[in-house]
Short mmCIF file of all heavy atoms in Angstrom, two decimals:
data_model
loop_
_atom_site.label_atom_id
_atom_site.label_comp_id
_atom_site.label_asym_id
_atom_site.label_seq_id
_atom_site.Cartn_x
_atom_site.Cartn_y
_atom_site.Cartn_z
N MET B 725 6.77 3.08 -12.19
CA MET B 725 8.13 2.57 -12.32
C MET B 725 9.01 3.05 -11.20
O MET B 725 9.14 4.25 -10.98
CB MET B 725 8.73 2.97 -13.67
CG MET B 725 7.91 2.60 -14.88
SD MET B 725 7.59 0.84 -15.01
CE MET B 725 9.27 0.27 -15.34
N GLN B 726 9.60 2.07 -10.52
CA GLN B 726 10.50 2.44 -9.43
C GLN B 726 11.91 1.87 -9.71
O GLN B 726 11.99 0.73 -10.20
CB GLN B 726 10.06 1.87 -8.08
CG GLN B 726 8.85 2.59 -7.54
CD GLN B 726 8.52 2.16 -6.09
OE1 GLN B 726 7.53 1.49 -5.86
NE2 GLN B 726 9.36 2.55 -5.17
N ASN B 727 12.91 2.62 -9.47
CA ASN B 727 14.26 2.08 -9.58
C ASN B 727 15.19 2.78 -8.61
O ASN B 727 14.92 3.89 -8.15
CB ASN B 727 14.79 2.25 -11.00
CG ASN B 727 14.95 3.72 -11.42
OD1 ASN B 727 15.90 4.35 -11.09
ND2 ASN B 727 13.93 4.25 -12.12
N PRO B 728 16.20 2.06 -8.16
CA PRO B 728 16.48 0.64 -8.53
C PRO B 728 15.55 -0.31 -7.79
O PRO B 728 14.83 0.08 -6.86
CB PRO B 728 17.90 0.46 -8.07
CG PRO B 728 18.04 1.35 -6.89
CD PRO B 728 17.17 2.57 -7.22
N ARG B 740 19.11 7.21 -2.83
CA ARG B 740 18.17 7.96 -3.64
C ARG B 740 17.28 6.96 -4.38
O ARG B 740 17.79 6.17 -5.20
CB ARG B 740 18.90 8.87 -4.65
CG ARG B 740 19.63 10.02 -3.99
CD ARG B 740 20.54 10.73 -4.95
NE ARG B 740 19.76 11.52 -5.95
CZ ARG B 740 19.40 12.81 -5.73
NH1 ARG B 740 19.70 13.42 -4.59
NH2 ARG B 740 18.75 13.45 -6.65
N LEU B 741 15.98 7.05 -4.12
CA LEU B 741 15.05 6.16 -4.72
C LEU B 741 14.14 6.95 -5.66
O LEU B 741 13.70 8.03 -5.32
CB LEU B 741 14.15 5.53 -3.64
CG LEU B 741 14.77 4.49 -2.67
CD1 LEU B 741 15.91 5.03 -1.87
CD2 LEU B 741 13.71 3.92 -1.78
N ARG B 742 13.94 6.39 -6.84
CA ARG B 742 13.22 7.09 -7.89
C ARG B 742 11.88 6.46 -8.18
O ARG B 742 11.73 5.24 -8.15
CB ARG B 742 14.07 7.15 -9.15
CG ARG B 742 15.36 7.93 -9.03
CD ARG B 742 16.18 7.85 -10.26
NE ARG B 742 17.45 8.57 -10.14
CZ ARG B 742 18.50 8.18 -9.44
NH1 ARG B 742 18.41 7.01 -8.80
NH2 ARG B 742 19.54 8.91 -9.32
N CYS B 743 10.93 7.31 -8.54
CA CYS B 743 9.59 6.83 -8.88
C CYS B 743 9.03 7.65 -10.05
O CYS B 743 8.89 8.88 -9.90
CB CYS B 743 8.66 6.99 -7.65
SG CYS B 743 6.90 6.73 -8.05
N SER B 744 8.67 6.96 -11.09
CA SER B 744 8.00 7.60 -12.21
C SER B 744 6.53 7.19 -12.18
O SER B 744 6.23 5.98 -12.34
CB SER B 744 8.62 7.21 -13.55
OG SER B 744 9.97 7.68 -13.61
N TRP B 754 4.50 7.99 -1.17
CA TRP B 754 5.59 7.05 -0.78
C TRP B 754 5.19 6.35 0.52
O TRP B 754 4.69 6.96 1.46
CB TRP B 754 6.92 7.83 -0.52
CG TRP B 754 7.58 8.28 -1.78
CD1 TRP B 754 7.50 9.47 -2.42
CD2 TRP B 754 8.54 7.51 -2.55
NE1 TRP B 754 8.30 9.50 -3.53
CE2 TRP B 754 8.98 8.31 -3.62
CE3 TRP B 754 9.09 6.23 -2.44
CZ2 TRP B 754 9.88 7.86 -4.59
CZ3 TRP B 754 10.00 5.79 -3.38
CH2 TRP B 754 10.39 6.63 -4.43
N PRO B 794 11.26 12.22 -12.44
CA PRO B 794 10.60 11.37 -11.46
C PRO B 794 10.56 12.00 -10.07
O PRO B 794 11.24 12.99 -9.75
CB PRO B 794 11.50 10.13 -11.42
CG PRO B 794 12.87 10.65 -11.75
CD PRO B 794 12.64 11.75 -12.74
N SER B 795 9.76 11.39 -9.21
CA SER B 795 9.82 11.78 -7.78
C SER B 795 11.01 11.07 -7.19
O SER B 795 11.36 9.93 -7.49
CB SER B 795 8.50 11.29 -7.11
OG SER B 795 8.57 11.57 -5.71
N ILE B 796 11.66 11.74 -6.22
CA ILE B 796 12.81 11.22 -5.58
C ILE B 796 12.58 11.17 -4.07
O ILE B 796 12.15 12.15 -3.47
CB ILE B 796 14.09 12.09 -5.85
CG1 ILE B 796 14.30 12.27 -7.32
CG2 ILE B 796 15.28 11.49 -5.13
CD1 ILE B 796 14.83 11.08 -8.05
N LEU B 797 12.86 10.01 -3.48
CA LEU B 797 12.93 9.91 -2.01
C LEU B 797 14.41 9.78 -1.64
O LEU B 797 15.12 8.89 -2.10
CB LEU B 797 12.11 8.72 -1.48
CG LEU B 797 12.16 8.46 0.00
CD1 LEU B 797 11.39 9.57 0.71
CD2 LEU B 797 11.55 7.11 0.36
N CYS B 812 6.26 3.34 -4.01
CA CYS B 812 5.67 4.54 -4.57
C CYS B 812 4.34 4.16 -5.18
O CYS B 812 4.15 3.06 -5.73
CB CYS B 812 6.59 5.10 -5.64
SG CYS B 812 5.94 6.47 -6.58
N THR B 831 11.30 -0.50 -4.02
CA THR B 831 12.78 -0.57 -3.93
C THR B 831 13.12 -1.15 -2.56
O THR B 831 12.69 -0.65 -1.55
CB THR B 831 13.43 0.81 -4.07
OG1 THR B 831 13.20 1.33 -5.37
CG2 THR B 831 14.94 0.72 -3.80
#
Side-chain angles (χ1 to χ4, degrees):
Chain B
M725 305 301 292
Q726 288 189 249
N727 65 80
R740 292 171 71 89
L741 287 62
R742 295 175 182 75
C743 169
S744 296
W754 285 93
S795 176
I796 305 288
L797 179 67
C812 172
T831 293

